[in-house]
């Protein structure tokens, strides 16, 4: 078990940062004081360094600055004892694709033959299909993140925390999920490919894996208690963890640490 006072570094993109969840500690990063890292640190009395940043790719974790922020890996040092990583979705443009498709479908909703033809053209501009090589590249990058963390913090426990499920068995086209029956399965395929990249990286490197994707299948959009937000054109932070989702991911991490000391 991680001892109270231990240094904990949280790395990742918006699914770790928590945009839209109050309080927002860093507006540019979309970083919430109630994201899963803060909840875990509070429960275990850890010394948290949270450098998660909305929009981050694995390159921003490893080597590239994001706005004024240094590469996130720079926050990891020899004294670090716990690191969580949620990244890779932006490498695949996962949420970006979902958002563009939803926006274009919403804008193309007016009825009429001309509008229908225009809507079909707009929808055709969004591709939901990714080549396997892109998922392989994400797995490679996540593996590199783990390798670099181990080089900087040999004693640390490294948890790869994958993404909450957005589209589950009960998700259907609706106002807050404006995708059609053909598009939804493609989003599922992207999510499965991303989860597989996390699993592959964990298997290769020996990092510990937190499968938020599996735990949230019954809490996808359209379920009685979704752990993510739906789509509202121009409002809120669509398709991201809500407060319940962050609490659920924190609970998964805490349970893992307590049952695997």
């Amino acid at each position: 078990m991680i001892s109270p006072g231990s240094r904990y570094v949280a790395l990742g993109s918006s699914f770790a940062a928590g945009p839209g969840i109050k309080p927002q500690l860093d507006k540019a990063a979309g970083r919430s004081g109630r994201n899963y890292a803060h909840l875990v640190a509070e429960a275990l009395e850890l010394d948290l360094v949270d450098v998660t940043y909305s929009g981050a790719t694995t390159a921003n974790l490893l080597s590239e600055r994001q706005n004024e922020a240094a590469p996130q890996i720079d926050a990891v040092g020899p004294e670090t004892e716990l690191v969580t990583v949620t990244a890779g979705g932006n490498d695949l443009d996962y949420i970006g694709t979902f958002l563009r498709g939803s926006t274009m479908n919403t804008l193309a909703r007016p009825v009429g033959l001309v509008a229908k033809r225009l809507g079909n053209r707009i929808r055709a501009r969004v591709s939901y299909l990714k080549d396997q090589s892109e998922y392989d590249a994400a797995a490679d990058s996540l593996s590199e993140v783990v390798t670099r963390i181990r080089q900087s913090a040999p004693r640390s426990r490294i948890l790869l925390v994958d993404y909450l499920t957005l589209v589950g068995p009960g998700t259907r086209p609706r106002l807050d999920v404006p995708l059609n029956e053909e598009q939804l399965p493609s989003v599922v395929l992207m999510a499965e490919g991303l989860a597989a990249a996390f699993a592959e990286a964990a298997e290769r490197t020996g990092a510990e894996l937190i499968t938020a994707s599996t735990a949230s299948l019954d809490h996808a959009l359209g379920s009685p208690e979704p752990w993510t937000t739906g789509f509202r054109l121009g409002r809120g932070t669509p398709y991201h963890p809500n407060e319940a989702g962050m609490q659920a991911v924190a609970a998964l991490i805490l349970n893992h640490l307590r049952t695997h000391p």
Side-chain angles (χ1 to χ4, degrees), residues 113-225:
L113 182 59
V114 173
K116 183 177 180 180
R117 288 174 177 170
L118 177 60
N120 289 338
R121 288 176 187 163
I122 290 174
R123 283 188 285 271
R125 294 175 188 166
V126 180
S127 173
Y128 297 86
L129 301 178
K130 300 291 180 183
D131 188 82
Q132 182 58 43
S133 63
E134 296 180 76
Y135 297 113
D136 293 342
D140 290 343
S141 294
L142 287 167
S143 298
E144 176 63 17
V145 170
V146 174
T147 299
R148 289 278 304 279
I149 292 170
R150 284 219 175 97
Q151 290 171 350
S152 298
R155 296 185 299 126
S156 65
R157 290 185 68 172
I158 305 168
L159 275 57
L160 294 178
V161 184
D162 72 4
Y163 285 61
L164 288 169
T165 293
L166 290 162
V167 177
T171 307
R172 298 288 182 270
R174 41 191 262 173
L175 285 177
D176 63 346
V177 190
L179 297 180
N180 61 39
E181 294 285 1
E182 295 177 355
Q183 295 166 328
L184 284 172
S186 298
V187 175
V188 172
L189 287 175
M190 289 181 66
E192 290 175 346
L194 180 56
F198 271 82
E200 174 67 21
E203 183 176 355
R204 283 188 208 168
T205 63
E208 299 169 70
L209 179 63
I210 306 296
T211 54
S213 58
T214 301
S216 56
L217 279 173
D218 292 334
H219 294 275
L221 293 168
S223 69
E225 297 180 353

Side-chain angles (χ1 to χ4, degrees), residues 41-57:
E42 180 182 298
L44 299 181
E45 300 180 21
L46 304 180
D47 177 17
L48 174 64
V49 179
D50 183 1
V51 291
T52 58
Y53 207 111
S54 297
T57 64

Side-chain angles (χ1 to χ4, degrees), residues 10 16-39 41-42 48-54:
I21 300 174
K22 296 180 180 179
Q24 288 287 293
L25 303 182
D26 187 318
K27 186 175 181 180
R31 188 182 303 132
S32 171
R34 300 299 291 171
N35 62 20
Y36 73 70
H38 280 81
L39 297 175
E42 180 182 298
L48 174 64
V49 179
D50 183 1
V51 291
T52 58
Y53 207 111
S54 297

Side-chain angles (χ1 to χ4, degrees), residues 193-257:
L194 180 56
F198 271 82
E200 174 67 21
E203 183 176 355
R204 283 188 208 168
T205 63
E208 299 169 70
L209 179 63
I210 306 296
T211 54
S213 58
T214 301
S216 56
L217 279 173
D218 292 334
H219 294 275
L221 293 168
S223 69
E225 297 180 353
W227 287 349
T228 55
T229 57
F231 180 84
R232 298 179 73 183
L233 186 62
R235 298 179 64 181
T237 308
Y239 302 142
H240 277 78
N242 57 24
E243 291 185 51
M246 282 297 183
Q247 290 168 4
V249 175
L252 289 171
I253 293 170
L254 290 168
N255 181 65
H256 177 84
L257 291 173

Side-chain angles (χ1 to χ4, degrees), residues 91-116:
D91 296 42
L92 298 166
D93 197 23
Y94 171 43
I95 302 302
T97 300
F98 203 179
L99 284 169
R100 284 195 301 278
S102 297
T103 299
M104 291 177 178
N105 283 7
T106 300
L107 294 176
R109 192 172 285 153
V111 297
L113 182 59
V114 173
K116 183 177 180 180

